[in-house]
Amino acid sequence: MSNATAESRPYHHGDLSRALVDAARKILETEGPAALSLRAVAREAGVSPAAPYHHFKDKAELLEAVAHEGWHELDEALAKARAETAEPRARMSNLGVAYVCFARDNPALYRVMYDRSRDKVALPERLREDGAYCQVRETINENAGGHVSDIDLELATIAAWCAGHGLAEMIGFKQFAPLKAQLGGEEAFLRAVFEHLGMFAKFNQG
Amino acid sequence: MSNATAESRPYHHGDLSRALVDAARKILETEGPAALSLRAVAREAGVSPAAPYHHFKDKAELLEAVAHEGWHELDEALAKARAETAEPRARMSNLGVAYVCFARDNPALYRVMYDRSRDKVALPERLREDGAYCQVRETINENAGGHVSDIDLELATIAAWCAGHGLAEMIGFKQFAPLKAQLGGEEAFLRAVFEHLGMFAKFNQG
DNA sequence: TGTACATCAGTGAACGCGCGTTCACTGATGTAC
DNA sequence: TGTACATCAGTGAACGCGCGTTCACTGATGTAC
């Protein structure tokens, strides 16, 4: 769809920004982050190497747009998972599975998202009230029945986030294949690992 | 120490393999993984760009050597942390802190270690009985008093490993600074997060 | 409705760069006799 | 102990490559009158 089919493409593209972000994501998922050059993106979008500069200041700005889109989609995936049940415990579990599955399905995008965040003061998802981080925090708060100090809530959210991130980064490791098979699939494996984290035990004892 | 001081260096280096690995690590920690080119390593070691080829087949092989050294040092750091106490619960906690501190102190090396592992069937540390992974597993086994199935032990180890990895990757995030200050330092923050993971609650209830 | 013209969004060639790797070479080392 | 010679471990120049970015340009679009 995004390749240059010399036949029909008009001189003006129509929505090149969009097409460039799509092209970047396609390259990311098919060839990995190392292959993501501005020239490759332009090539994939069927456009000259200079064209992207009419839409993005430089390569970093395009990457930023890609990462931003990734965070947004992660937000949506978590919101969807969270809405599937009203039971706090199950919500938490669904959230964890959804998070890791997002990373599994978009591994290169996921890496770009974090690479772009690493040196920022705030993670993008923290900026919005409906962001992924806040959804996790609110779900933990529900689990605790609301009776938890701000600082404990923050720590628990960080703990959960880190556990999810660690698992997300490792879920693709070939290493785990036998165990996954033994447990009857990847999601069962995921739930079993979360179970073993005994996550949020602190807030779930009552 | 590794710069070319034209005065004294003999034509033959003596131990260029060693010097190249050192140079690579220095670049890694001062300029980050993106700056790690073979040419930069040779430059840092004060040697021509072709010299490394007498010691490593290609760039990948040098990276491999660097990663290998990293895993080895991680093993040692964990062994040291584990030996500091005989109390299983404290051992586990120390192991977690030591792991994350290793990553914090060698962030770029840590990333290279995982980048080199990502596509392998087995993680290097699993291959040796005294490796980091086995140390974690054994400590969890101690916590459980030895009464735990193989599969549960494996799952718990993976859970702990992922949690540690997630925290290790995020520990440097500026985001956490206020919370660290509030808790009285990075190690206190770390221990608090581990505490909130409620890790190994499953095996610690008795 | 038609036309002049400013602006927008492309092109394609070129820039300088650093990279991984190879090559023919040479200086230093060590070993056999 | 001395010497011929094979081997080892460097050099420095060169290769082709893809990159990010800039430049002068031009075709397409939209707006004022």
Side-chain angles (χ1 to χ4, degrees), chain B residues 17-109:
Chain B
S17 296
R18 180 70 261 141
L20 289 169
V21 172
D22 287 342
R25 293 187 60 172
K26 184 170 173 197
I27 290 167
L28 229 29
E29 296 312 336
T30 58
E31 303 175 63
L36 194 92
S37 68
L38 245 197
R39 294 180 92 108
V41 170
R43 222 178 291 133
E44 172 67 29
V47 111
S48 83
Y53 288 87
H54 288 278
H55 301 269
F56 300 98
K57 184 171 127 283
D58 54 17
K59 187 187 177 186
E61 200 171 283
L62 172 60
L63 267 290
E64 209 63 59
V66 171
H68 182 82
E69 192 166 288
W71 286 112
H72 183 66
E73 288 176 20
L74 178 59
D75 291 347
E76 285 181 336
L78 294 200
K80 181 155 169 281
R82 193 158 172 264
E84 268 166 11
T85 173
E87 206 274 301
R89 194 81 194 244
R91 278 192 153 175
M92 200 62 221
S93 173
N94 286 356
L95 229 40
V97 172
Y99 184 93
V100 178
C101 287
F102 176 86
R104 180 201 56 192
D105 296 338
N106 309 276
L109 175 62

Side-chain angles (χ1 to χ4, degrees), chain B residues 11-13 16 48 50 54-55:
Chain B
Y11 189 90
H12 284 103
H13 184 285
L16 187 53
S48 83
H54 288 278
H55 301 269

Side-chain angles (χ1 to χ4, degrees), chain A residues 173-185 189, chain B residues 121 126 151 154:
Chain A
F173 278 22
K174 307 267 195 309
Q175 175 84 53
F176 299 151
L179 209 45
K180 283 180 197 164
Q182 204 174 339
L183 289 167
F189 168 77
Chain B
V121 172
R126 292 220 49 187
I151 196 166
E154 211 64 47

